């Protein structure tokens, strides 16, 4: 009799994630034991020369500088300096002129993790998930870890255990707090401090838009901004969507995710050869997406966070793809409630499917003209963008108060 052992995809993904975490912890433990042995063999003569920083930000990629810049400025206006660790040697933070921000590139992979795992600081703020899950461990000499999301959407769309080991999370909507509390209860975790501060970087973009000059008349412009990966738009539709878009007669801007030029280099290159730039098609790789979003009348994307930036800041409709998205590796797999995003998207735009792809022009026209999407955008904005215009101030209020609290405990 043949016995077949079956593990469902969700459980398999969870077990794989746990296994990777255990292996990472094992390697880290061995490294720590070796360092301690070397210290003892030296007779304990080594001195701890590590500088202590009251407040540190860690960014794993240059594209997150816009998340932190408003908070840095607000803290600086209060006399609080920031040490900004980045893994990108071309991070804009390294060339900014703010006297209150000391930016340092700490390298990639093990070099960066070693720096972070032995850090001395009162508070570390980051948008990077996975603390204490993989190579990045909690340093015994960092008192408080704070997470800030980099998109106004479900906090459960991180890989499993993504924010479990942070002490606090800065949120933009009540639904995010509910999701975290459910995960804490399921995993028997201590309650984090959850602070609803809004979205500082979107406040900044909205203020910039309000001060921008009015655009001159232009043809109806469609922005195609896919994410990357097997569930992303180009993986699902390939060049077919570009052919259909060009048949609409509208001006088309294609702006792939920056990671696509790394992880999907051949696919993007093939699409650029098949669909070269012309008077009706342009490929956009601007580091700053402000102008390309402003020039576009409608956005087509998949599960990229740019959907909510475009819809809620620029107050314009979207068309979103509905890929077969496997929740197995993500925190959302643990919860019974549907994703907030699933209920939000139909209120701000239309879903693109293989069945309605040939009618894409009609879909675009309906989104541009139907007033119900404008009303839906206001509903979604109220749910996911708390305290518009106040994000940096509220984030700095919390961080400053926490610094005082931690110092008072140390002195007491």
């Amino acid at each position: 009799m043949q016995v077949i052992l079956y593990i469902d995809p969700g459980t398999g993904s969870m077990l794989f994630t746990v296994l990777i975490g255990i292996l990472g912890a094992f390697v880290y433990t061995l490294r720590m034991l070796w360092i301690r042995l070397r210290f003892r063999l030296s007779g304990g003569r080594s001195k701890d020369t590590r500088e202590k920083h009251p407040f540190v930000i860690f960014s794993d990629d240059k594209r997150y500088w816009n998340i932190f810049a408003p908070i840095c400025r607000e803290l600086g206006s209060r006399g609080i300096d920031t040490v900004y660790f980045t893994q990108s040697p071309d991070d804009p933070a390294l060339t900014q002129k703010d006297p209150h921000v000391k930016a340092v590139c700490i390298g990639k992979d093990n070099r960066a993790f070693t720096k972070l795992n032995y850090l001395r600081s009162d508070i570390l703020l980051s948008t990077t998930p996975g603390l204490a899950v993989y190579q990045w461990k909690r340093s015994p000499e960092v008192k408080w870890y704070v997470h800030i999301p980099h998109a106004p959407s479900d906090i459960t769309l991180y890989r499993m255990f993504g924010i479990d080991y942070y002490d606090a999370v800065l949120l933009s909507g009540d639904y995010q707090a509910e999701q975290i509390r459910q995960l804490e209860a399921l995993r028997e975790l201590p309650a984090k401090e959850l602070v609803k501060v809004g979205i500082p970087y979107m406040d900044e973009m909205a203020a910039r838009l309000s001060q921008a000059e009015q655009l001159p008349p232009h043809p109806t412009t469609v922005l195609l901004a896919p994410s990357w990966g097997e569930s992303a738009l180009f993986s699902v539709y390939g060049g077919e969507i570009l052919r259909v878009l060009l048949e609409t007669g509208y001006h088309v801007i294609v702006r792939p995710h920056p990671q696509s030029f790394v992880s999907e280099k051949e696919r993007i290159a093939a699409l650029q050869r098949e669909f070269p730039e012309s008077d009706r098609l342009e490929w956009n790789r601007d580091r700053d997406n402000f102008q390309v979003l402003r020039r576009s009348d409608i956005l087509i994307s998949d599960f990229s966070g740019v959907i909510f930036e475009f819809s809620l800041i620029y107050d314009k409709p979207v068309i979103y793809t509905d890929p077969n998205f496997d929740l197995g590796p993500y925190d959302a797999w643990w919860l019974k409630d549907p994703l907030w995003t699933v209920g939000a998207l139909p209120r701000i735009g239309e879903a693109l499917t293989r069945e309605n792809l040939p009618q894409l022009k009609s879909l675009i026209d309906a989104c541009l003209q139907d007033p119900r999407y404008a009303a839906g955008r206001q509903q979604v904005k109220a749910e996911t963008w708390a305290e518009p215009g106040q994000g940096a101030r509220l984030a700095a209020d919390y961080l400053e108060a926490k610094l005082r609290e931690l110092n008072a405990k140390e002195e007491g």
Side-chain angles (χ1 to χ4, degrees), residues 236-302:
V236 175
Y237 294 98
E240 184 179 1
I241 190 168
L242 290 174
R243 282 190 288 273
V244 175
L245 272 175
L246 288 172
E247 290 171 1
T248 65
Y250 295 139
H251 186 73
V252 178
I253 304 175
V254 188
R255 181 181 169 85
H257 191 283
Q259 188 63 32
S260 294
F261 292 96
V262 178
S263 301
E264 304 171 323
K265 188 175 182 179
E266 292 182 3
R267 172 180 289 158
I268 298 299
L271 288 170
Q272 288 181 314
R273 288 192 298 270
E274 186 177 358
F275 301 95
E277 289 212 3
S278 65
D279 58 346
R280 289 181 42 225
L281 173 68
E282 59 179 289
W283 290 81
N284 181 275
R285 293 189 67 178
D286 294 347
R287 184 183 63 81
D288 182 358
N289 67 1
F290 177 79
Q291 290 296 346
V292 71
L293 294 180
R294 194 164 79 101
R295 289 195 291 126
S296 304
D297 298 296
I298 189 168
L299 168 72
I300 301 177
S301 189
D302 35 51

Side-chain angles (χ1 to χ4, degrees), residues 9 24 28 61 80 129 165 177 207 218 224 257 325 330 336 347 366 373:
Y28 175 73
D61 192 274
I80 300 173
Y165 303 106
H218 64 280
L224 184 68
H257 191 283
F325 195 62
Y330 302 95
K336 295 181 180 179
R347 290 181 280 166
Y373 297 114

Side-chain angles (χ1 to χ4, degrees), residues 20-88:
I20 293 298
I22 291 172
L23 290 174
F26 178 71
V27 171
Y28 175 73
T29 301
L30 288 178
R31 187 180 296 126
M32 286 288 291
L33 289 173
W34 171 242
I35 291 172
R36 288 173 183 171
L37 178 62
R38 288 175 59 191
F39 179 79
R40 289 179 182 177
L41 291 174
S42 71
R45 293 186 298 273
S46 299
K47 291 184 178 180
D48 189 347
T49 58
R50 294 171 297 159
E51 183 180 0
K52 181 178 177 180
H53 309 290
F55 181 64
V56 172
I57 289 176
F58 166 57
S59 175
D60 62 72
D61 192 274
K62 62 184 178 182
R63 65 180 179 272
Y64 298 128
W65 169 239
N66 69 319
I67 305 292
F68 299 113
I71 299 174
C72 289
R73 284 198 301 273
E74 181 66 26
L75 288 169
S77 71
R78 306 178 186 200
I80 300 173
D81 293 332
T82 299
V83 175
Y84 191 93
F85 288 154
T86 176
Q87 288 189 299
S88 297

Side-chain angles (χ1 to χ4, degrees), residues 64-347:
Y64 298 128
W65 169 239
N66 69 319
I67 305 292
F68 299 113
I71 299 174
C72 289
R73 284 198 301 273
E74 181 66 26
L75 288 169
S77 71
R78 306 178 186 200
I80 300 173
D81 293 332
T82 299
V83 175
Y84 191 93
F85 288 154
T86 176
Q87 288 189 299
S88 297
D90 55 346
D91 195 311
L94 296 168
T95 56
Q96 54 77 41
K97 304 299 182 182
D98 190 331
H100 292 285
V101 179
K102 179 184 177 183
V104 180
C105 180
I106 59 172
K108 294 280 189 181
D109 302 327
N110 289 337
R111 180 182 174 189
F113 296 134
T114 299
K115 180 78 172 179
L116 294 169
N117 295 347
Y118 289 95
L119 183 66
R120 301 179 68 200
S121 177
D122 292 322
I123 294 178
L124 185 143
L125 173 68
S126 182
T127 191
T128 305
L131 172 65
V133 178
Y134 300 115
Q135 294 99 321
W136 181 24
K137 306 300 177 184
R138 286 180 61 109
S139 169
E141 295 187 70
V142 173
K143 299 176 184 176
W144 201 251
Y145 285 88
V146 183
H147 180 81
I148 184 169
H150 53 259
S153 58
D154 297 84
I155 200 73
T156 55
L157 284 178
Y158 289 130
R159 294 273 173 172
M160 283 190 189
F161 321 116
I163 58 170
D164 279 6
Y165 303 106
Y166 277 92
D167 300 298
V169 186
L170 306 183
L171 302 173
S172 65
D174 290 330
Y175 68 95
Q176 296 169 331
E178 294 168 4
Q179 292 172 342
I180 292 174
R181 292 298 184 225
Q182 289 181 53
L183 288 173
E184 289 172 344
L186 286 168
R187 297 171 181 170
E188 298 182 348
L189 296 169
K192 301 171 189 61
E193 289 188 2
L194 304 182
V195 188
K196 193 163 63 172
V197 303
I199 313 172
Y201 83 93
M202 284 180 52
D203 293 340
E204 192 109 323
M205 291 180 72
R208 185 178 174 188
L209 181 63
S210 68
Q211 298 166 7
E213 296 180 358
Q214 187 173 356
L215 284 172
H218 64 280
T220 298
T221 300
V222 181
L223 173 61
L224 184 68
S227 188
W228 66 281
E230 290 308 309
S231 297
L233 193 148
F234 277 148
S235 297
V236 175
Y237 294 98
E240 184 179 1
I241 190 168
L242 290 174
R243 282 190 288 273
V244 175
L245 272 175
L246 288 172
E247 290 171 1
T248 65
Y250 295 139
H251 186 73
V252 178
I253 304 175
V254 188
R255 181 181 169 85
H257 191 283
Q259 188 63 32
S260 294
F261 292 96
V262 178
S263 301
E264 304 171 323
K265 188 175 182 179
E266 292 182 3
R267 172 180 289 158
I268 298 299
L271 288 170
Q272 288 181 314
R273 288 192 298 270
E274 186 177 358
F275 301 95
E277 289 212 3
S278 65
D279 58 346
R280 289 181 42 225
L281 173 68
E282 59 179 289
W283 290 81
N284 181 275
R285 293 189 67 178
D286 294 347
R287 184 183 63 81
D288 182 358
N289 67 1
F290 177 79
Q291 290 296 346
V292 71
L293 294 180
R294 194 164 79 101
R295 289 195 291 126
S296 304
D297 298 296
I298 189 168
L299 168 72
I300 301 177
S301 189
D302 35 51
F303 45 86
S304 172
V306 74
I307 283 179
F308 291 108
E309 294 176 15
F310 185 82
S311 181
L312 305 185
I313 297 173
Y314 295 83
D315 196 24
K316 298 174 182 178
V318 299
I319 292 175
Y320 57 93
T321 61
D322 188 20
N324 183 17
F325 195 62
D326 177 19
L327 292 178
Y330 302 95
D331 276 326
W333 180 84
W334 289 68
L335 304 184
K336 295 181 180 179
D337 297 335
L339 292 170
W340 172 84
T341 302
V342 170
L345 288 175
R347 290 181 280 166

